[in-house]
């Protein structure tokens, strides 16, 4: 019996991973803001190799890219749920969506700051 529970646990984790990957692909292929941010991320990875940034700089850059994309994903989810629940404009729904967009703004400003710390000295 114990082995069967472990097997379900492991197969359940693989299912969860599949759902997560499916969601990441949907996010990256349907949301223009994520497409733009992913393109910027690719350019930053290329710049990282070109400028031979340090291991620590790679860690901060990777964290910043992941932070922006993750928060953008949550923002998109909030917007989709809000639009599903209340398709017409509503002041409170607009307020909620603005707060979610504000979270993306904070993440993006943090990423830009990290990018400046890494790349400005290279010029």
């Amino acid at each position: 019996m114990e082995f069967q529970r472990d097997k379900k646990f492991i197969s359940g984790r693989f299912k969860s991973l599949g759902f997560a990957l499916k969601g990441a692909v949907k996010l990256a292929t349907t949301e223009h803001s994520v497409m733009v941010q992913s393109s910027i991320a690719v350019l930053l990875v290329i710049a990282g190799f070109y400028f031979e940034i340090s291991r620590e700089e790679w860690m901060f850059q990777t964290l910043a890219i992941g932070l922006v994309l993750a928060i953008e994903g949550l923002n998109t989810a909030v917007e989709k749920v809000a639009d599903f629940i209340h398709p017409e404009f509503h002041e409170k729904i607009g307020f909620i969506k603005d707060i979610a967009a504000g979270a993306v703004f904070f993440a993006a400003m943090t990423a830009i700051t990290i990018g400046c710390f890494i790349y400005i000295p290279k010029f």
Side-chain angles (χ1 to χ4, degrees), residues 82-83 85-86 88-98:
D83 290 344
I85 291 171
H86 205 292
E88 302 85 33
F89 176 78
H90 190 280
E91 188 176 327
K92 288 185 180 181
I93 295 290
F95 181 78
I96 292 165
K97 290 167 93 173
D98 288 346

Side-chain angles (χ1 to χ4, degrees), residues 2 6-7 16-17 20 29 34 37 40-44 52 73 76 85-86 88-89 91 95 97 99 111 120 123:
E2 197 68 35
D6 286 344
K7 189 174 181 183
S16 294
L17 180 61
T29 57
V34 175
Q37 292 160 350
I40 292 169
V42 168
L43 292 174
L44 286 170
E52 298 178 350
T76 299
I85 291 171
H86 205 292
E88 302 85 33
F89 176 78
E91 188 176 327
F95 181 78
K97 290 167 93 173
I99 289 173
I120 288 176
F123 293 102

Side-chain angles (χ1 to χ4, degrees), residues 3-123:
F3 179 75
Q4 212 165 14
R5 269 194 244 145
D6 286 344
K7 189 174 181 183
K8 286 182 181 178
F9 175 80
I10 291 170
S11 65
R13 300 301 57 86
F14 280 118
K15 279 185 180 179
S16 294
L17 180 61
F19 294 137
L21 288 172
K22 182 179 175 183
V25 168
K26 282 184 180 179
L27 186 63
T29 57
T30 62
E31 296 301 315
H32 293 287
S33 58
V34 175
M35 291 176 198
V36 169
Q37 292 160 350
S38 296
S39 299
I40 292 169
V42 168
L43 292 174
L44 286 170
V45 169
I46 292 168
F49 284 116
Y50 178 80
F51 288 108
E52 298 178 350
I53 63 176
S54 71
R55 179 185 179 105
E56 292 79 14
E57 290 169 331
W58 274 113
M59 289 189 297
F60 281 113
Q61 179 170 288
T62 302
L63 181 64
I65 290 168
L67 174 71
V68 171
L69 292 174
I71 298 298
E72 185 64 58
L74 292 174
N75 177 53
T76 299
V78 166
E79 288 181 354
K80 299 288 184 194
V81 168
D83 290 344
F84 179 76
I85 291 171
H86 205 292
E88 302 85 33
F89 176 78
H90 190 280
E91 188 176 327
K92 288 185 180 181
I93 295 290
F95 181 78
I96 292 165
K97 290 167 93 173
D98 288 346
I99 289 173
V104 175
F105 175 79
F106 284 131
M109 290 300 104
T110 300
I112 289 169
T113 302
I114 290 169
C116 288
F117 277 120
I118 293 171
Y119 291 105
I120 288 176
K122 311 284 185 211
F123 293 102

